[in-house]
Amino acid sequence: KKKKLNKSRCKNAVVSISKRGPDRFLSNYFLNEKLFIFNSVLSITGSVEKRKDLYKSENKRYYLSFNGEIFNYKYLQKKFLTKKKLLSNDSKILVNLFQNIKNKINISKKINGMFSYIVFDKLKNKIMFSTDIQGEKRLYKYEDNDIFILSSTIKSILDFIKKKDLNIENLKNYFCTRHLLIKDKTIYKNISILEQGNFFEYSFKSNKF
């Protein structure tokens, strides 16, 4: 929020995610290295392009990190994009939907699949993020006075912040019930689970979620 990111800590944070998507590692720094976005790709739908930077829209305004699979990607391109030839993968189709659909909230509603995504709007300096309504793909959020993190795994957050402050009350509930009966909390302080099926924004101008 206040200064450039520590790149070695960013590198440590992506190791656990990299193992889940070994086909390609994509990343970019933005906002004078105050924002870092990483995406490890496991090729499921379409083909993986030979690239090191994130997938971006044709107008280079929107940048994507995506986890999951979009089943109706062919329909989405035909309905909302003008390309006659099918784009190489569902990630490329998704990021271009942000260029072509005015009301961004509706994009998640049009996707049939399991997904979580983060899109950086380079013009308005904000990120938009959402998950599927079933909660099959999750996003975890960490925030303190200096840092805001979103990740598809808790471990990558812990690898960055380098501390494990346990939420003792949540642990007590687990040992009493043998289940984590919590909707949006985790066993770690300041790490929460985003409610599935909703659309969120975070502004870097105001540092507001």
Side-chain angles (χ1 to χ4, degrees):
K1 294 179 181 180
K2 301 173 183 177
K3 57 185 180 180
K4 289 184 178 182
L5 287 160
N6 183 315
K7 288 190 175 182
S8 64
R9 290 172 71 179
C10 291
K11 186 177 180 180
N12 290 337
V14 303
V15 171
S16 57
I17 299 179
S18 301
K19 296 174 182 178
R20 296 170 53 195
D23 293 332
R24 183 69 59 180
F25 308 137
L26 315 176
S27 66
N28 285 97
Y29 283 91
F30 302 98
L31 304 176
N32 295 320
E33 299 182 354
K34 287 174 66 179
L35 171 64
F36 174 69
I37 304 179
F38 176 81
N39 196 175
S40 64
V41 179
L42 174 64
S43 180
I44 299 174
T45 300
S47 58
V48 179
E49 296 180 358
K50 292 183 178 180
R51 59 190 302 148
K52 293 183 178 179
D53 59 330
L54 299 168
Y55 283 103
K56 57 182 176 289
S57 59
E58 290 183 348
N59 63 3
K60 299 180 181 180
R61 174 176 171 176
Y62 301 102
Y63 292 77
L64 171 76
S65 180
F66 171 64
N67 179 31
E69 182 180 5
I70 298 175
F71 306 138
N72 64 334
Y73 69 101
K74 293 181 181 179
Y75 164 80
L76 292 174
Q77 174 169 337
K78 185 177 179 181
K79 179 75 174 177
F80 300 105
L81 307 181
T82 57
K83 293 278 186 182
K84 291 183 180 180
K85 184 179 179 182
L86 185 68
L87 295 176
S88 56
N89 54 57
D90 54 359
S91 293
K92 204 165 186 178
I93 290 171
L94 176 57
V95 73
N96 278 292
L97 291 179
F98 280 83
Q99 176 179 321
N100 286 272
I101 295 178
K102 188 174 182 180
N103 190 344
K104 314 305 181 192
I105 295 174
N106 288 332
I107 293 176
S108 294
K109 298 176 182 178
K110 299 179 186 301
I111 298 173
N112 177 9
M114 50 180 182
F115 64 89
S116 64
Y117 66 75
I118 298 170
V119 172
F120 174 54
D121 183 341
K122 197 173 182 180
L123 181 64
K124 293 190 175 181
N125 284 346
K126 67 178 181 180
I127 50 175
M128 299 165 282
F129 39 102
S130 182
T131 65
D132 61 74
I133 198 166
Q134 309 92 280
E136 197 162 349
K137 299 295 181 181
R138 291 297 185 95
L139 279 176
Y140 299 91
K141 177 174 79 77
Y142 172 87
E143 186 172 13
D144 60 24
N145 292 329
D146 301 312
I147 304 165
F148 179 85
I149 304 175
L150 292 170
S151 179
S152 57
T153 69
I154 292 177
K155 188 176 187 305
S156 65
I157 296 175
L158 298 176
D159 289 342
F160 185 92
I161 63 177
K162 294 185 176 180
K163 59 182 179 180
K164 299 179 181 179
D165 293 332
L166 294 175
N167 187 322
I168 302 301
E169 288 302 314
N170 286 342
L171 276 176
K172 285 180 181 178
N173 291 336
Y174 173 73
F175 287 117
C176 290
T177 65
R178 294 186 299 160
H179 299 283
L180 279 172
L181 301 174
I182 43 181
K183 182 179 180 181
D184 57 355
K185 295 181 176 64
T186 68
I187 62 169
Y188 298 100
K189 292 181 179 178
N190 294 333
I191 300 181
S192 59
I193 307 168
L194 290 184
E195 187 175 354
Q196 65 263 30
N198 282 346
F199 181 87
F200 303 90
E201 291 185 356
Y202 184 90
S203 169
F204 295 102
K205 293 180 180 178
S206 61
N207 284 330
K208 287 186 177 180
F209 168 70

